[in-house]
Amino acid sequence: MAKRTVKDLDVAGKKVIVRCDFNVPRKDGVITDDNRIVMALPTIKYLVENKAKVVLMSHLGKVKTEEDKAKNNLECVAVRLQELLPETKVSFCPVTRGPELEEAVNALNEGEIVLMQNTRYEKGESKNDPELGAYWASLGEVFVEDAFGSVHRAHASTVGIPTNIKENGLGFLVEKEVTMLGKAVDEPAHPFVAIIGGSKVSSKIDVIDNLLKKADKVIIGGGMAYTFMKAKGGSIGTSLVEDDKLDLAKEYLEKAGDKLVLPVDNVCADAFSEEANTQVCKSGEIPEGWMGLDIGPASVELFKETLAGAKTVVWNGPMGVFEMKKFAKGTELVCQAISELPDAITVIGGGDSAAAAKQLGYAEKFSHVSTGGGASLEYMEGKTLPGIAIISEK
């Protein structure tokens, strides 16, 4: 399934609509992390250098009320883009349809950029309203999909526009995501080890299912491990558990055998707090009134042994409550172990594990850190991503 990329498209002198992911965190209207804007620059610069007239679109936050509109105005992104591209004219259009937008697009010279207001100002965006998709498509001649964080959603800006513009392709960011996740999940070099963490089994059922078919070992960490411990008949104190998923956990334990690797000890606390008393407990032997909040030292060693010699590693979800320094050790040591594997393809599937790797300073040591938590999760589940499926084949 080789999709066309921006390099396969004739963009000179043409109006090129680029769906970006500028859903950046802000505080009091000020951008606190511009990583998503920076990640979009290679595609934007390529289009500017190749004389395209660039129309950028993105969502920002959730928009339900007029108050949300004011809070999630995209203008701050245009300001930051202009700072990052001082040689290029970047303008902002404060509306999502009508004469003002059409004039702003038609006034573009080659190598200039206009950023349209937040796509979610339009109610029809998340419903993939066909009229809206067709209208936005009428503004351009070429479409480039470069918002990996949104390709798992069939919205007007991700699916509606390319439905109406056949001259379309993937931007460099999405192309890299598809290549790296494809290498890791669809064509892995073996031994292939998957590490699944996070709080709930329910949110990762399809990932575990899909990866058990493909990986040589699947390591389970984080809050979801306690559901497996309880399913094995162990005592878990007040640890996080999904009682309605115990039968499913039992089924996985029977089906997977020694392919599934669970923690053997845990760092436990008498309260969900940085100030709590802590002790290391064997898995399944957590006393009443205590909760597991991280994997213990013996689990770290077991996971390191399981990872030794791996040629492909996919990691999604932390090993404990890494936001609290006291319970971040397991995530940090596993992260370090993956990052030090020689000659392995190592991929982090976005979300909390990506945040943890960045926070702990290991992100640069991985082959790839995905920019889309939800999209990479669905890719790992083996699902079709509508925003990529709609793009023309080479």
Side-chain angles (χ1 to χ4, degrees), residues 9 45 135 138 160 171 198 209 211 221 246-247 272 278 287 305 309 315 352 363 383:
L9 306 171
K45 283 179 176 169
Y135 170 69
S138 74
D209 242 2
L211 293 179
L246 290 172
D247 288 342
F272 188 79
T278 61
E305 281 166 32
W315 176 32
D352 284 343
K383 288 183 181 164

Side-chain angles (χ1 to χ4, degrees), residues 1-20:
M1 184 190 77
K3 295 289 181 183
R4 264 193 263 170
T5 74
V6 64
K7 283 195 167 171
D8 299 312
L9 306 171
D10 175 15
V11 299
K14 293 188 178 167
K15 290 177 281 195
V16 180
I17 298 171
V18 189
R19 178 55 161 97
C20 298

Side-chain angles (χ1 to χ4, degrees), residues 239-256:
S239 305
L240 189 69
V241 67
E242 289 174 282
D243 285 317
D244 61 333
K245 294 288 177 277
L246 290 172
D247 288 342
L248 184 72
K250 279 179 193 157
E251 197 184 302
Y252 281 139
L253 289 163
E254 282 164 26
K255 197 165 64 178

Side-chain angles (χ1 to χ4, degrees), residues 170-243:
L170 304 177
F172 297 128
L173 173 65
V174 174
E175 182 192 12
K176 187 185 180 206
E177 291 275 9
V178 173
T179 303
M180 294 308 293
L181 284 166
K183 259 187 197 172
V185 178
D186 302 328
E187 300 158 10
H190 290 271
F192 170 25
V193 180
I195 305 179
I196 310 296
S199 55
K200 293 181 173 179
V201 179
S202 53
S203 62
K204 304 276 172 88
I205 290 169
D206 294 338
V207 178
I208 298 169
D209 242 2
N210 195 35
L211 293 179
L212 274 173
K213 292 175 201 146
K214 300 181 175 196
D216 298 289
K217 296 282 183 185
V218 176
I219 294 171
I220 302 283
M224 67 167 73
Y226 303 103
T227 299
F228 283 92
M229 280 173 215
K230 189 169 177 179
K232 286 174 84 174
S235 53
I236 59 165
T238 55
S239 305
L240 189 69
V241 67
E242 289 174 282
D243 285 317

Side-chain angles (χ1 to χ4, degrees), residues 341-353:
L341 289 171
D343 313 319
I345 287 178
T346 54
V347 172
I348 298 181
D352 284 343
S353 9

Side-chain angles (χ1 to χ4, degrees), residues 4 37 65 73 88 111 115 155 169 187 210 230 236 248 273 290 350 378 394:
R4 264 193 263 170
I37 303 172
T65 63
N73 188 321
T88 305
L115 171 64
H155 286 180
E187 300 158 10
N210 195 35
K230 189 169 177 179
I236 59 165
L248 184 72
S273 158
W290 290 73
E378 290 201 13
K394 273 193 199 269

